[in-house]
Coordinates of all heavy atoms in Angstrom, one line a residue:
M1 N -22.8 -35.5 38.4 CA -21.8 -34.5 38.1 C -22.2 -33.8 36.8 O -22.9 -34.2 36.0 CB -20.4 -35.0 38.1 CG -19.9 -35.5 39.4 SD -20.0 -34.4 40.8 CE -19.5 -35.4 42.2
T2 N -21.6 -32.7 36.6 CA -21.9 -31.9 35.4 C -21.2 -32.6 34.1 O -19.9 -32.9 34.2 CB -21.4 -30.4 35.5 OG1 -21.9 -29.9 36.6 CG2 -21.7 -29.8 34.2
K3 N -22.0 -32.8 33.1 CA -21.4 -33.3 31.9 C -20.9 -32.2 31.1 O -21.6 -31.2 30.8 CB -22.5 -34.2 31.2 CG -22.7 -35.5 31.7 CD -21.6 -36.5 31.3 CE -21.9 -38.0 31.7 NZ -20.9 -38.9 31.2
N4 N -19.7 -32.5 30.5 CA -19.2 -31.4 29.6 C -19.7 -31.7 28.2 O -19.5 -32.8 27.7 CB -17.7 -31.5 29.6 CG -17.1 -30.4 28.8 OD1 -17.8 -29.7 28.0 ND2 -15.9 -29.9 29.1
P5 N -20.6 -30.7 27.6 CA -21.0 -31.0 26.3 C -20.0 -31.4 25.2 O -20.2 -32.0 24.3 CB -21.7 -29.6 25.9 CG -21.9 -29.0 27.3 CD -20.8 -29.4 28.2
S6 N -18.8 -30.9 25.4 CA -17.8 -31.1 24.5 C -17.3 -32.6 24.4 O -16.7 -33.1 23.5 CB -16.5 -30.3 24.8 OG -15.9 -30.6 26.0
D7 N -17.7 -33.3 25.5 CA -17.4 -34.7 25.5 C -18.1 -35.5 24.3 O -17.6 -36.3 23.8 CB -17.8 -35.4 26.8 CG -16.9 -35.0 28.0 OD1 -15.8 -34.4 27.7 OD2 -17.2 -35.3 29.1
H8 N -19.3 -35.1 24.1 CA -20.0 -35.6 23.1 C -19.5 -35.3 21.8 O -19.4 -36.1 20.8 CB -21.5 -35.2 23.1 CG -22.3 -35.8 22.0 ND1 -22.6 -35.1 20.9 CD2 -23.0 -37.0 21.9 CE1 -23.4 -36.0 20.1 NE2 -23.6 -37.0 20.7
A9 N -19.1 -34.0 21.5 CA -18.6 -33.5 20.3 C -17.2 -34.3 20.0 O -16.8 -34.6 18.9 CB -18.4 -32.0 20.4
A10 N -16.5 -34.5 21.0 CA -15.1 -35.2 20.9 C -15.4 -36.6 20.2 O -14.6 -37.1 19.5 CB -14.5 -35.3 22.2
S11 N -16.4 -37.2 20.5 CA -16.7 -38.6 20.0 C -16.9 -38.5 18.5 O -16.9 -39.5 17.9 CB -17.9 -39.2 20.7 OG -19.0 -38.5 20.4
D12 N -17.3 -37.3 18.1 CA -17.5 -37.3 16.6 C -16.3 -36.8 15.8 O -16.2 -36.8 14.6 CB -18.5 -36.1 16.3 CG -19.9 -36.5 16.9 OD1 -20.2 -37.7 17.0 OD2 -20.7 -35.6 17.2
Q13 N -15.1 -36.7 16.6 CA -13.9 -36.4 15.8 C -13.4 -37.6 15.1 O -13.5 -38.7 15.5 CB -12.8 -36.0 17.0 CG -13.2 -34.7 17.7 CD -13.0 -33.4 16.8 OE1 -12.3 -33.4 15.8 NE2 -13.9 -32.5 17.0
P14 N -12.7 -37.4 14.0 CA -12.2 -38.4 13.2 C -11.0 -39.0 14.0 O -10.3 -38.3 14.8 CB -11.7 -37.8 11.9 CG -11.5 -36.3 12.3 CD -12.6 -36.0 13.3
K15 N -10.9 -40.3 13.8 CA -9.8 -41.0 14.6 C -8.5 -40.6 14.0 O -8.3 -40.7 12.8 CB -10.0 -42.4 14.5 CG -9.0 -43.3 15.3 CD -9.4 -44.8 15.3 CE -8.4 -45.6 16.0 NZ -7.1 -45.5 15.6
L16 N -7.6 -40.3 14.9 CA -6.3 -40.0 14.5 C -5.4 -41.2 14.5 O -5.6 -42.1 15.2 CB -5.6 -38.9 15.6 CG -6.3 -37.6 15.7 CD1 -5.6 -36.7 16.7 CD2 -6.4 -36.9 14.3
N17 N -4.5 -41.1 13.4 CA -3.5 -42.2 13.3 C -2.4 -41.9 14.3 O -2.2 -40.9 14.7 CB -3.0 -42.1 11.9 CG -4.1 -42.5 10.9 OD1 -4.9 -43.3 11.1 ND2 -3.8 -41.9 9.7
P18 N -1.7 -43.0 14.7 CA -0.7 -42.8 15.6 C 0.4 -41.8 15.3 O 0.9 -41.2 16.2 CB 0.0 -44.2 15.7 CG -1.1 -45.2 15.3 CD -2.0 -44.3 14.3
G19 N 0.6 -41.6 14.0 CA 1.5 -40.7 13.6 C 1.1 -39.2 13.4 O 1.9 -38.3 13.2
D20 N -0.2 -39.1 13.5 CA -0.7 -37.7 13.5 C -0.4 -36.9 14.7 O -0.4 -37.4 15.7 CB -2.2 -37.8 13.3 CG -2.7 -38.4 12.0 OD1 -1.9 -38.3 11.0 OD2 -3.9 -38.7 11.9
Q21 N -0.2 -35.6 14.4 CA 0.2 -34.7 15.6 C -0.8 -33.6 15.6 O -0.8 -32.8 16.6 CB 1.6 -34.1 15.3 CG 2.7 -35.0 15.3 CD 4.1 -34.5 14.9 OE1 4.1 -33.3 14.6 NE2 5.1 -35.3 14.9
A22 N -1.8 -33.6 14.7 CA -2.9 -32.6 14.9 C -4.1 -33.2 14.1 O -4.0 -34.1 13.3 CB -2.4 -31.3 14.2
E23 N -5.2 -32.6 14.5 CA -6.4 -33.1 13.9 C -6.5 -32.6 12.4 O -6.1 -31.5 12.1 CB -7.7 -32.6 14.6 CG -7.7 -33.2 16.1 CD -8.8 -32.5 16.8 OE1 -9.6 -31.8 16.2 OE2 -8.9 -32.8 18.1
P24 N -7.0 -33.3 11.5 CA -7.3 -32.9 10.1 C -8.1 -31.7 10.1 O -9.1 -31.5 10.8 CB -7.9 -34.2 9.5 CG -7.5 -35.3 10.2 CD -7.4 -34.8 11.7
G25 N -7.6 -30.7 9.4 CA -8.4 -29.4 9.4 C -8.0 -28.4 10.3 O -8.5 -27.3 10.3
T26 N -7.1 -28.8 11.2 CA -6.5 -27.8 12.2 C -5.7 -26.8 11.5 O -4.8 -27.1 10.8 CB -5.7 -28.5 13.2 OG1 -6.5 -29.5 13.8 CG2 -5.1 -27.5 14.2
P27 N -6.1 -25.5 11.8 CA -5.3 -24.4 11.2 C -3.8 -24.5 11.6 O -3.4 -24.7 12.7 CB -5.8 -23.2 11.9 CG -7.3 -23.5 12.2 CD -7.2 -25.0 12.6
G28 N -2.9 -24.4 10.5 CA -1.5 -24.5 10.8 C -1.0 -26.0 10.7 O 0.2 -26.2 10.8
A29 N -1.9 -26.9 10.5 CA -1.5 -28.3 10.4 C -1.7 -28.7 8.9 O -2.5 -28.1 8.1 CB -2.4 -29.2 11.3
G30 N -0.9 -29.7 8.6 CA -0.8 -30.1 7.2 C -0.5 -31.6 7.0 O 0.1 -32.1 7.9
E31 N -0.8 -32.1 6.0 CA -0.5 -33.5 5.7 C 0.8 -33.5 5.2 O 1.4 -32.8 4.3 CB -1.6 -34.1 4.6 CG -2.9 -34.4 5.2 CD -3.7 -35.1 4.1 OE1 -3.3 -35.1 2.9 OE2 -4.7 -35.7 4.5
N32 N 1.6 -34.5 5.7 CA 2.9 -34.9 5.3 C 3.0 -36.3 4.8 O 2.3 -37.1 5.3 CB 3.9 -34.5 6.3 CG 4.3 -33.0 6.2 OD1 4.1 -32.4 5.3 ND2 4.9 -32.6 7.4
I33 N 4.0 -36.6 4.0 CA 4.3 -37.9 3.7 C 4.7 -38.6 5.0 O 5.5 -38.2 5.7 CB 5.4 -38.1 2.6 CG1 4.9 -37.5 1.2 CG2 5.8 -39.5 2.4 CD1 3.6 -38.2 0.7
C34 N 4.2 -39.8 5.3 CA 4.6 -40.5 6.4 C 6.1 -41.0 6.3 O 6.5 -41.4 5.5 CB 3.8 -41.9 6.5 SG 4.1 -42.9 7.9
P35 N 6.8 -40.4 7.3 CA 8.2 -40.7 7.4 C 8.5 -42.2 7.6 O 9.7 -42.7 7.3 CB 8.7 -39.9 8.5 CG 7.6 -39.8 9.5 CD 6.3 -39.7 8.6
E36 N 7.6 -42.9 8.2 CA 7.9 -44.3 8.5 C 7.9 -45.2 7.2 O 8.7 -46.1 7.0 CB 6.9 -44.8 9.5 CG 7.2 -46.2 10.1 CD 8.5 -46.1 11.0 OE1 8.8 -45.0 11.4 OE2 9.2 -47.2 11.2
C37 N 6.9 -45.0 6.3 CA 6.7 -45.8 5.2 C 7.0 -45.1 3.9 O 6.8 -45.6 2.8 CB 5.2 -46.4 5.2 SG 4.0 -45.1 5.0
K38 N 7.3 -43.9 4.1 CA 7.8 -42.9 2.9 C 6.6 -42.8 2.0 O 6.7 -42.6 0.7 CB 8.9 -43.5 2.1 CG 10.2 -43.7 3.0 CD 10.7 -42.5 3.6 CE 12.1 -42.6 4.2 NZ 12.0 -43.1 5.6
G39 N 5.3 -42.8 2.5 CA 4.1 -42.5 1.7 C 3.5 -43.6 1.1 O 2.5 -43.6 0.4
S40 N 4.2 -44.9 1.3 CA 3.7 -46.1 0.6 C 2.5 -46.6 1.4 O 1.6 -47.3 0.8 CB 4.8 -47.2 0.5 OG 5.2 -47.7 1.8
G41 N 2.4 -46.3 2.6 CA 1.3 -46.9 3.5 C 1.6 -48.3 4.0 O 0.7 -48.9 4.7
R42 N 2.7 -48.8 3.6 CA 3.0 -50.2 4.0 C 4.4 -50.4 4.6 O 5.3 -49.6 4.0 CB 2.8 -51.2 2.9 CG 1.5 -51.0 2.1 CD 1.2 -52.1 1.2 NE 0.9 -53.4 1.8 CZ -0.3 -53.7 2.4 NH1 -1.3 -52.9 2.2 NH2 -0.4 -54.8 2.9
I43 N 4.6 -51.3 5.4 CA 6.0 -51.7 5.9 C 6.1 -53.1 5.5 O 5.5 -53.9 6.2 CB 6.1 -51.4 7.5 CG1 5.8 -49.9 7.8 CG2 7.4 -51.8 7.8 CD1 7.0 -48.9 7.2
G44 N 6.8 -53.3 4.6 CA 6.9 -54.7 4.1 C 5.5 -55.1 3.5 O 5.1 -54.5 2.7
A45 N 5.0 -56.2 4.1 CA 3.8 -56.7 3.6 C 2.5 -56.2 4.6 O 1.5 -56.7 4.3 CB 3.8 -58.3 3.6
T46 N 2.8 -55.4 5.5 CA 1.8 -55.0 6.5 C 1.5 -53.5 6.4 O 2.4 -52.8 5.9 CB 2.1 -55.4 7.8 OG1 3.3 -54.8 8.2 CG2 2.3 -56.9 8.1
A47 N 0.3 -53.1 6.7 CA 0.1 -51.7 6.8 C 0.9 -51.0 7.8 O 1.1 -51.5 8.8 CB -1.5 -51.5 7.1
C48 N 1.3 -49.8 7.4 CA 2.2 -49.0 8.3 C 1.3 -48.6 9.6 O 0.3 -48.0 9.4 CB 2.6 -47.7 7.5 SG 3.4 -46.6 8.6
P49 N 1.9 -48.9 10.7 CA 1.2 -48.6 12.0 C 1.2 -47.0 12.3 O 0.4 -46.7 13.0 CB 2.0 -49.4 13.0 CG 3.3 -49.4 12.5 CD 3.2 -49.5 10.9
I50 N 2.0 -46.3 11.6 CA 2.1 -44.9 11.9 C 1.0 -44.1 11.2 O 0.3 -43.3 11.8 CB 3.4 -44.3 11.5 CG1 4.6 -45.2 12.2 CG2 3.6 -42.9 11.8 CD1 4.5 -45.0 13.6
C51 N 0.7 -44.5 10.1 CA -0.3 -43.7 9.2 C -1.6 -44.6 8.9 O -2.4 -44.2 8.2 CB 0.4 -43.2 8.0 SG 0.9 -44.6 6.9
S52 N -1.5 -45.8 9.5 CA -2.6 -46.8 9.4 C -2.9 -47.2 7.9 O -3.9 -47.3 7.4 CB -3.9 -46.1 10.0 OG -3.8 -46.0 11.3
G53 N -1.7 -47.0 7.1 CA -1.8 -47.4 5.7 C -2.2 -46.3 4.8 O -2.4 -46.6 3.6
T54 N -2.3 -45.1 5.3 CA -2.8 -44.0 4.4 C -1.5 -43.4 3.7 O -1.8 -42.8 2.6 CB -3.4 -42.9 5.2 OG1 -2.5 -42.3 6.1 CG2 -4.6 -43.3 6.0
G55 N -0.4 -43.6 4.2 CA 0.8 -43.0 3.6 C 1.0 -41.6 4.0 O 2.0 -40.9 3.5
K56 N 0.1 -41.0 4.8 CA 0.2 -39.6 5.1 C -0.1 -39.4 6.6 O -0.8 -40.2 7.2 CB -0.9 -38.7 4.4 CG -0.6 -38.7 2.8 CD -1.7 -37.9 2.2 CE -3.0 -38.7 2.3 NZ -4.0 -38.0 1.5
V57 N 0.7 -38.5 7.2 CA 0.3 -38.1 8.6 C 0.1 -36.7 8.7 O 0.4 -35.8 7.8 CB 1.6 -38.4 9.5 CG1 1.6 -39.9 9.6 CG2 2.8 -37.8 9.0
V58 N -0.7 -36.2 9.6 CA -1.0 -34.8 9.8 C -0.1 -34.2 10.9 O -0.1 -34.7 12.0 CB -2.5 -34.7 10.3 CG1 -2.8 -33.1 10.4 CG2 -3.4 -35.3 9.2
E59 N 0.7 -33.2 10.5 CA 1.6 -32.7 11.4 C 1.2 -31.2 11.6 O 0.8 -30.5 10.8 CB 3.0 -32.7 10.8 CG 3.5 -34.3 10.7 CD 4.9 -34.3 10.3 OE1 5.5 -33.3 9.6 OE2 5.6 -35.3 10.7
G60 N 1.5 -30.8 12.9 CA 1.4 -29.4 13.3 C 2.5 -28.5 12.7 O 3.6 -28.9 12.9
I61 N 2.1 -27.5 11.9 CA 3.2 -26.7 11.3 C 3.4 -25.4 12.1 O 4.5 -24.9 12.1 CB 2.8 -26.4 9.8 CG1 2.8 -27.7 9.0 CG2 3.9 -25.4 9.2 CD1 2.3 -27.4 7.6
G62 N 2.4 -25.0 12.8 CA 2.4 -23.7 13.5 C 3.3 -23.7 14.7 O 3.6 -22.7 15.2
G63 N 3.7 -24.9 15.1 CA 4.5 -24.9 16.3 C 3.8 -24.8 17.6 O 4.3 -24.2 18.5
A64 N 2.6 -25.3 17.6 CA 1.8 -25.3 18.8 C 2.4 -26.2 19.9 O 2.6 -26.0 20.8 CB 0.3 -25.7 18.4
Ligands
ZN1 ZN1 3.1 -44.7 7.1

């Protein structure tokens, strides 16, 4: 079957965190403080599962 070239490119995309709603660098998207951990990157003694401990999530602002 025909291979879609974009499949290979997709594998090069940065891994999104569970809380991300858009890819980093996407026009209209921006980083926001993670609402789950309030930007601390941690929930108690463990890394926040929403932002993977970064304290930030990428949200789409353009309303896509
Ligand atoms: Zn978080």
Side-chain angles (χ1 to χ4, degrees):
M1 296 305 177
T2 303
K3 282 281 188 176
N4 189 337
S6 65
D7 287 348
H8 180 265
S11 65
D12 292 334
Q13 295 292 327
K15 184 177 181 296
L16 296 181
N17 294 324
D20 288 342
Q21 298 177 356
E23 296 174 9
T26 300
E31 285 186 346
N32 274 344
I33 297 296
C34 176
E36 190 69 21
C37 63
K38 304 295 190 279
S40 70
R42 309 191 71 82
I43 300 293
T46 59
C48 175
I50 303 301
C51 62
S52 297
T54 63
K56 294 177 293 187
V57 293
V58 180
E59 296 185 332
I61 297 176

